[in-house]
Amino acid sequence: MDQSYDKVIILDFGSQYTQLIARRVRELKIYSEILPCNTPFKNIARKNPRAIILSGGPASVSSKYSPACSSKVFDMEIPVLGICYGMQLMAKHFKGRVLSSSRREYGRAQLFIDRSDDLFKGLGKSINVWMSHGDGVKRLPGGFKRVAHSANSTNAVMRNRDGKMYGLQFHPEVVHTPAGKRILRNFLYGVAGCAGRWTMKSFVKHSVEEIKSMVGDDCVVCGLSGGVDSSVLAVLLNRAIGKKLTCVFVDNGLLRKDEHKKVIKTFRGHYRIALKFVDAKKRFLDKLKGVEDPEKKRKIIGNEFIRVFEEETKKIGNVKWLAQGTLYPDVIESVSLRGAPSATIKSHHNVGGLPKKMKLKLIEPFRELFKDEVRTVGGELNLPDEIIWRQPFPGPGLAVRIIGKVTSKRLDILKEADAIVVEEIKRAGYYRKVWQAFAVLLPVKSVGVMGDERTYENTIAVRAVNSKDGMTADWVRLPYGLLGTISNRIINEVNEVNRVVYDISSKPPSTIEWE
Ligand code: XMP
């Protein structure tokens, strides 16, 4: 990473909002990185941060096993902002008094500003903020002053004498604190003196230079799936190293209708990238024959993909590097403060999961980016909107949208139905408004009547959900008219379908995909 950017380190104490803090800081054009709270001090110091933010967290500083960061963080002579748990930790470190309150403060609260010369500059006498805490700072540490209070928190905001240490009891990173970004801006620009130099334009420029010098004369292989991340990656690499890049695009037969044609046209035709197109439909279908279990399907598809990819890479020869579209949320080391790791609900497979035994060196230019930043990079590289705004598509593709056995015939039915769903969703202006919209082929036949004939045919479920990150989701209230058009078109145009249903379940307890 280029050191001309100011860097802010966020120490994570297990808050569900930690990633949001990182995003807000980056939205202010300052590079931020999340580290687990127990990161050794030397690793923090090595990053040479301009400021440190201590996140919130579910623990209580008064409990025996409460998480802490190295106390040297408070001696670095750079500004530190403690949020919620982070504030309480700061108060405890400087010998203030933190107590559990009998009255938890949760939700919206009015904050009364006592001093408005730094963090709250330009914000008036009171603002609405979002609180979520049981503990609170009852007595300020020596040398600290109160900056703001609320009905339930006497010391809702504190700062030390030299104006370097700040504690906020509320969460400035959530949208429910409307002035939150302004407060963070005041801290980062005003208090810490950061300059906003982290932009995606400069990211592209520096990445291109970095990739060039890293790769030298070696060859690079990149798995292209047609999704946003791998597409933006391919174009970035192409700009950096041109002919030394080969993209491998594996058609597993489980892609959307005409997807492979579009990918070939865009990358070979438009970008003139060396693209190896591998038609592996038959291989995947043979392996999937008779398989009904979703997890087995995923494993088979994942393993077969690796096999095909390895074979193709060998054929290219002299490949030393593997480029992957790994994103920041995948690499953040999470601190397990809540006990055991969560159970595996679905073992996701995507193009990213390639084997270590290939012994290739890795290039992962997006390791530090969030998805929306990758989209901005795509914009900087002039990728068409159609690619930049493509909805997420699961690695195992349509195989997990055909409930039960996957056959060539069932794939054809689903592809046609799915194409209609996407086309109509786009036509109605909903494509970018929803997280995912797609069709699912159910293993259910039902009776219908077409003309004077009795039919006994398949059922398609239409699914449209809204989500921020795929972790939770709500079904979309699509207009009846649109649902009607989708249903009519599917029943009229797709052979062997006589019924369409709309899925109105949210995640949890359902999942987005049916398998
Ligand atoms: P679920 O069904 O778990 O989906 O609620 C959450 C998000 O993940 C996508 N998904 C997958 N992506 N490989 C992937 O690359 C998979 O095996 C897989 N399963 C689900 C799903 O489309 C949604 O965006």
Side-chain angles (χ1 to χ4, degrees):
M1 184 48 52
D2 190 289
Q3 277 303 319
S4 63
Y5 302 119
D6 286 324
K7 193 178 273 187
V8 170
I9 296 294
I10 298 158
L11 293 179
D12 178 26
F13 292 89
S15 163
Q16 53 179 324
Y17 302 133
T18 305
Q19 286 205 25
L20 264 187
I21 306 176
R23 299 180 69 119
R24 294 288 169 264
V25 175
R26 289 187 185 195
E27 282 162 16
L28 291 165
K29 300 191 167 45
I30 297 160
Y31 178 73
S32 66
E33 213 172 286
I34 300 172
L35 296 177
C37 57
N38 53 4
T39 303
F41 178 71
K42 63 175 190 321
N43 297 358
I44 298 173
R46 202 183 297 142
K47 304 257 177 196
N48 198 17
R50 188 97 190 193
I52 292 202
I53 298 179
L54 312 175
S55 83
S60 163
V61 290
S62 19
S63 79
K64 203 166 159 197
Y65 301 107
S66 58
C69 57
S70 161
S71 60
K72 290 186 192 145
V73 161
F74 297 106
D75 302 330
M76 286 177 84
E77 305 218 334
I78 55 171
V80 180
L81 176 70
I83 296 175
C84 199
Y85 182 89
M87 171 191 194
Q88 292 148 14
L89 188 75
M90 181 184 279
K92 185 178 166 197
H93 173 83
F94 288 106
K95 310 254 175 318
R97 190 142 186 252
V98 178
L99 280 183
S100 310
S101 163
S102 51
R103 275 183 298 175
R104 269 178 62 83
E105 211 177 1
Y106 185 82
R108 245 174 256 279
Q110 199 175 5
L111 185 81
F112 300 97
I113 298 166
D114 303 308
R115 292 161 179 272
S116 54
D117 50 339
D118 42 23
L119 283 198
F120 298 99
K121 216 177 205 164
L123 289 175
K125 292 220 169 325
S126 88
I127 55 172
N128 284 328
V129 297
W130 181 259
M131 296 274 193
S132 170
H133 66 110
D135 288 2
V137 178
K138 289 290 161 289
R139 198 190 62 232
L140 291 173
F144 276 74
K145 289 187 173 119
R146 177 170 102 177
V147 177
H149 66 279
S150 71
N152 286 338
S153 300
T154 325
N155 300 308
V157 180
M158 64 178 194
R159 127 182 147 192
N160 75 344
R161 199 174 291 128
D162 62 6
K164 280 221 165 76
M165 303 281 156
Y166 288 81
L168 304 178
Q169 190 53 79
F170 63 91
H171 290 270
E173 68 276 24
V174 301
V175 287
H176 313 293
T177 300
K181 208 159 157 187
R182 180 80 179 269
I183 296 164
L184 288 172
R185 170 189 285 276
N186 285 344
F187 173 72
L188 295 165
Y189 283 69
V191 175
C194 293
R197 280 191 289 255
W198 167 258
T199 64
M200 289 303 109
K201 199 184 187 73
S202 54
F203 171 85
V204 169
K205 186 166 166 273
H206 289 289
S207 294
V208 164
E209 283 160 15
E210 213 173 329
I211 295 168
K212 256 188 201 159
S213 75
M214 232 162 86
V215 168
D217 290 326
D218 296 342
C219 289
V220 179
V221 66
C222 167
L224 190 63
S225 71
V228 183
D229 307 332
S230 68
S231 300
V232 178
L233 176 65
V235 175
L236 178 74
L237 289 165
N238 184 45
R239 182 175 284 193
I241 54 168
K243 295 268 169 288
K244 280 170 268 176
L245 168 70
T246 306
C247 288
V248 175
F249 174 58
V250 179
D251 182 0
N252 55 14
L254 308 167
L255 306 173
R256 291 187 139 139
K257 187 182 174 189
D258 294 336
E259 182 81 7
H260 69 283
K261 289 188 200 151
K262 289 185 205 157
V263 172
I264 294 174
K265 190 168 159 219
T266 307
F267 292 92
R268 247 189 218 158
H270 182 73
Y271 289 106
R272 313 229 159 264
I273 290 176
L275 177 68
K276 252 181 170 278
F277 172 70
V278 192
D279 183 350
K281 281 195 222 77
K282 190 168 172 336
R283 277 178 76 158
F284 280 84
L285 267 185
D286 285 349
K287 286 268 169 344
L288 284 169
K289 201 166 188 172
V291 179
E292 292 190 29
D293 178 70
E295 280 305 285
K296 271 200 192 128
K297 285 183 186 173
R298 281 193 169 75
K299 289 225 163 64
I300 290 170
I301 295 163
N303 290 340
E304 198 56 18
F305 177 82
I306 289 168
R307 235 170 263 142
V308 176
F309 194 85
E310 270 184 295
E311 286 168 22
E312 293 304 318
T313 305
K314 270 191 204 130
K315 285 188 210 158
I316 303 169
N318 194 30
V319 173
K320 295 264 168 32
W321 297 85
L322 171 69
Q324 294 194 149
T326 317
L327 298 189
Y328 193 43
D330 307 328
V331 298
I332 299 173
E333 222 183 301
S334 59
V335 237
S336 179
L337 298 171
R338 285 165 224 260
S342 55
T344 306
I345 311 289
K346 296 178 188 184
S347 56
H348 283 197
H349 142 80
N350 54 33
V351 181
L354 285 163
K356 293 198 177 62
K357 71 170 188 198
M358 283 178 79
K359 296 213 178 78
L360 296 173
K361 292 184 270 185
L362 284 183
I363 309 180
E364 296 179 311
F366 304 152
R367 274 181 77 83
E368 289 151 354
L369 302 191
F370 289 106
K371 186 101 184 173
D372 51 334
E373 292 177 315
V374 172
R375 290 204 158 109
T376 314
V377 170
E380 288 294 336
L381 294 166
N382 297 321
L383 258 92
D385 275 4
E386 203 204 328
I387 294 180
I388 295 178
W389 292 102
R390 185 154 293 178
Q391 292 179 350
F393 186 68
L398 300 182
V400 289
R401 293 180 181 170
I402 292 176
I403 313 309
K405 292 179 192 142
V406 181
T407 61
S408 169
K409 191 163 173 206
R410 292 183 75 72
L411 269 167
D412 287 342
I413 295 174
L414 182 58
K415 278 184 192 176
E416 293 303 322
D418 182 73
I420 293 171
V421 173
V422 174
E423 201 179 306
E424 290 302 331
I425 290 273
K426 280 187 176 164
R427 201 197 308 274
Y430 270 85
Y431 188 78
R432 272 174 70 170
K433 285 193 220 150
V434 305
W435 169 264
Q436 274 172 302
F438 54 88
V440 180
L441 179 56
L442 306 189
V444 175
K445 285 197 170 188
S446 71
V447 175
V449 52
M450 279 192 193
D452 292 331
E453 299 278 317
R454 175 189 190 271
T455 59
Y456 186 58
E457 284 172 341
N458 292 294
T459 309
I460 286 284
V462 175
R463 181 102 167 112
V465 293
N466 266 334
S467 171
K468 285 215 164 355
D469 49 14
M471 302 297 285
T472 58
D474 195 11
W475 62 279
V476 182
R477 275 64 174 169
L478 289 178
Y480 285 168
L482 173 57
L483 286 170
T485 309
I486 291 173
S487 167
N488 277 344
R489 279 198 59 197
I490 292 177
I491 292 171
N492 285 327
E493 295 173 35
V494 184
N495 284 337
E496 299 184 42
V497 175
N498 68 354
R499 192 173 296 269
V500 171
V501 296
Y502 189 48
D503 181 351
I504 53 166
S505 16
S506 293
K507 172 181 180 177
S510 302
T511 52
I512 295 177
E513 304 291 346
W514 277 47
E515 285 200 334

